[in-house]
């Protein structure tokens, strides 16, 4: 069947871009990159009742897997979000409520990415009515009502329109915050393209922040992760990560990665899948008086500035209410700073 949308993303975390196509026959076609072997093709039939129009990708639910967003609709616009399963394929469908939109409004583009640097994906929809002013609705995670961005009068729909036809997000100015880019056709008969860049003025978040939730251990207490030894600045030899509120003399491991990915194993919340980890034994006394330190001297390479790393402590805890006997801290995001 005919392809009406094509996007790419690393769906499986193997550093190879995969292709995802949307067909007019209401199918998502996932082409998994297998290197020299080629692509493995899987097809997923959409459960949405209306004709699809656009496809987007992004980690909508924050579980570390890339989800699939499909817009469509006829009299009213529709948006369906297909959450990825453990294999990276589209599975559970969530319907995003757009019932309040004016009749015959069309979703001409969609973006799912972290626009405001809070560690959670946001959703931006390019909405085009049959006449009048096009706009972008920006949905921030946890906020019900969207912020509305009205596009310039020059992009209004008219007899000879400058039509907004697509929406993408990319770091246009190199500040590591994505800009929204409205792709338009000034004259579809001549295929003249005009791009409108909407500047992202979010201040870059540097330093550390705790994310998500941990796994409780003895007495229902979640161990705490923190840092000491100064800011996470390039060249700081004293930067140290701490775990506290653990049993004394317990085995513990610090895991580190450059990506945040949520998985739940036998009741244990794990967010960091390591490319590096090391173990140690906590010191202290009692069932909640244990702690451990891990010094992570930051190399003096300025190229490391703005890099993000994620850390989590796992603790062997006989009081943990799960089959593995483990408790875990929250995840800690560390974005390195320049000196």
């Amino acid at each position: 069947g005919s392809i009406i949308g094509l996007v790419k993303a690393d769906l499986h975390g193997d550093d190879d871009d995969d292709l995802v196509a949307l067909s007019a026959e209401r199918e998502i076609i996932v082409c998994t990159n297998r290197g020299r072997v080629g692509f493995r093709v899987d097809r997923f039939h959409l459960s949405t009742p209306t004709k699809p129009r656009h496809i987007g990708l992004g980690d909508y639910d924050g579980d570390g897997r890339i989800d699939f967003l499909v817009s469509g609709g006829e009299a009213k616009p529709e948006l369906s979000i297909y959450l990825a399963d453990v294999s990276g394929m589209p599975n559970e469908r969530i319907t995003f409520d757009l019932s309040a939109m004016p009749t015959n409004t069309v979703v001409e583009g969609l973006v799912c990415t972290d626009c405001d640097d809070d560690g959670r994906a946001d959703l931006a929809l390019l909405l085009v009515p049959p006449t009048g002013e096009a706009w972008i609705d920006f949905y921030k995670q946890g906020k019900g009502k969207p912020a509305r961005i009205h596009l310039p009068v020059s992009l209004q729909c008219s007899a000879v329109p400058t039509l907004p036809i697509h929406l993408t997000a990319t770091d246009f100015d190199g500040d590591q915050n994505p800009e929204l880019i409205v792709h338009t056709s000034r004259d579809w008969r001549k295929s003249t393209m005009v791009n409108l860049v909407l500047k992202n003025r979010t201040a870059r978040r540097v330093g550390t922040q705790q994310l998500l939730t941990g796994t409780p251990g003895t007495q229902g207490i979640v161990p705490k992760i923190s840092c000491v030894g100064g800011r996470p600045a390039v060249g700081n030899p004293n930067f140290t990560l701490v775990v506290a509120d653990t049993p004394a003399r317990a085995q513990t491991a610090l895991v580190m990665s450059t990506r945040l990915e949520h998985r739940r194993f036998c009741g244990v919340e794990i967010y960091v899948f390591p490319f590096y980890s090391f173990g140690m034994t906590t010191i202290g006394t009692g069932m909640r008086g244990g702690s451990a330190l891990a010094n992570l001297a930051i190399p003096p390479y300025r190229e490391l500035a703005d890099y993000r790393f994620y850390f989590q402590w796992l603790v062997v805890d006989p009081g943990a209410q799960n089959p593995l006997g483990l408790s875990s801290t929250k995840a800690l995001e560390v974005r390195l700073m320049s000196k």
Side-chain angles (χ1 to χ4, degrees):
S2 59
I3 300 299
I4 57 177
L6 181 66
V7 288
K8 70 174 184 177
D10 179 8
L11 300 180
H12 307 290
D14 56 5
D15 295 326
D16 289 325
D17 281 334
D18 308 298
L19 299 176
V20 179
L22 178 66
S23 79
E25 285 69 36
R26 298 197 305 171
E27 282 186 326
I28 294 176
I29 304 170
V30 180
C31 303
T32 301
N33 189 342
R34 302 174 64 190
R36 294 183 179 180
V37 178
F39 288 87
R40 187 188 74 238
V41 178
D42 297 285
R43 295 176 180 268
F44 178 83
H45 186 74
L46 299 175
S47 56
T48 177
T50 57
K51 183 178 180 180
R53 191 177 184 94
H54 289 282
I55 186 168
L57 301 174
D59 183 10
Y60 179 77
D61 58 354
D63 66 353
R65 296 191 285 266
I66 302 297
D67 304 310
F68 304 77
L69 297 86
V70 177
S71 68
E74 296 176 1
K76 289 282 189 177
E78 294 182 2
L79 176 63
S80 296
I81 302 171
Y82 295 87
L83 302 180
D85 60 19
V86 293
S87 66
M89 295 294 109
N91 190 4
E92 179 186 353
R93 177 192 174 199
I94 296 175
T95 300
F96 198 87
D97 185 15
L98 297 177
S99 59
M101 295 297 169
T103 302
N104 295 324
T105 297
V106 176
V107 179
E108 283 290 7
L110 52 93
V111 164
C112 183
T113 189
D114 182 10
C115 291
D116 56 1
D117 199 28
D118 66 351
R120 298 185 295 178
D122 307 300
L123 182 61
L125 303 179
L126 173 61
L127 295 150
V128 180
T131 59
E133 184 182 74
W135 70 91
I136 294 173
D137 274 352
F138 180 79
Y139 295 85
K140 179 177 170 59
Q141 287 278 9
K143 304 290 185 181
K145 189 175 181 180
R148 181 156 292 183
I149 305 171
H150 294 280
L151 299 182
V153 174
S154 60
L155 297 186
Q156 286 188 1
C157 303
S158 59
V160 184
T162 301
L163 288 174
I165 59 173
H166 196 47
L167 181 68
T168 58
T170 189
D171 181 11
F172 190 79
D173 54 6
D175 68 352
Q176 300 195 17
N177 287 323
E179 274 70 45
L180 294 178
I181 302 178
V182 181
H183 304 265
T184 72
S185 174
R186 185 179 298 279
D187 186 341
W188 61 269
R189 293 164 296 184
K190 298 180 181 179
S191 298
T192 303
M193 302 298 295
V194 179
N195 292 334
L196 173 68
V197 179
L198 304 178
K199 171 66 177 174
N200 188 339
R201 301 189 182 279
T202 301
R204 282 184 295 173
R205 190 188 303 274
V206 294
T208 64
Q209 63 172 330
Q210 295 191 19
L211 304 171
L212 306 169
T213 60
T215 306
T218 297
Q219 300 177 11
I221 302 299
V222 175
K224 295 180 180 178
I225 185 172
S226 60
C227 57
V228 296
R231 302 184 304 167
V234 171
N236 179 3
N238 301 315
F239 185 71
T240 300
L241 292 183
V242 181
V243 62
D245 287 354
T246 74
R249 296 182 296 279
Q251 295 298 309
T252 184
L254 177 66
V255 291
M256 166 185 173
S257 181
T258 55
R259 61 181 293 173
L260 191 68
E261 183 174 343
H262 179 209
R263 296 184 186 179
R264 198 167 195 265
F265 290 111
C266 299
V268 181
E269 306 293 345
I270 301 179
Y271 305 106
V272 178
F273 285 81
F275 64 76
Y276 179 73
S277 66
F278 58 92
M280 61 187 65
T281 302
T282 62
I283 60 174
T285 59
M287 294 304 295
R288 290 180 51 191
S291 63
L293 304 175
N295 174 248
L296 300 175
I298 303 173
Y301 304 130
R302 62 183 182 181
E303 294 82 5
L304 290 175
D306 290 322
Y307 269 75
R308 297 189 201 193
F309 297 90
Y310 297 92
F311 298 89
Q312 186 181 26
W313 290 93
L314 304 178
V315 182
V316 177
D317 188 336
Q321 299 299 308
N322 60 74
L324 298 181
L326 292 177
S327 60
S328 65
T329 66
K330 296 180 179 181
L332 182 72
E333 179 190 78
V334 176
R335 179 180 281 188
L336 300 185
M337 311 165 63
S338 58
K339 290 185 178 181

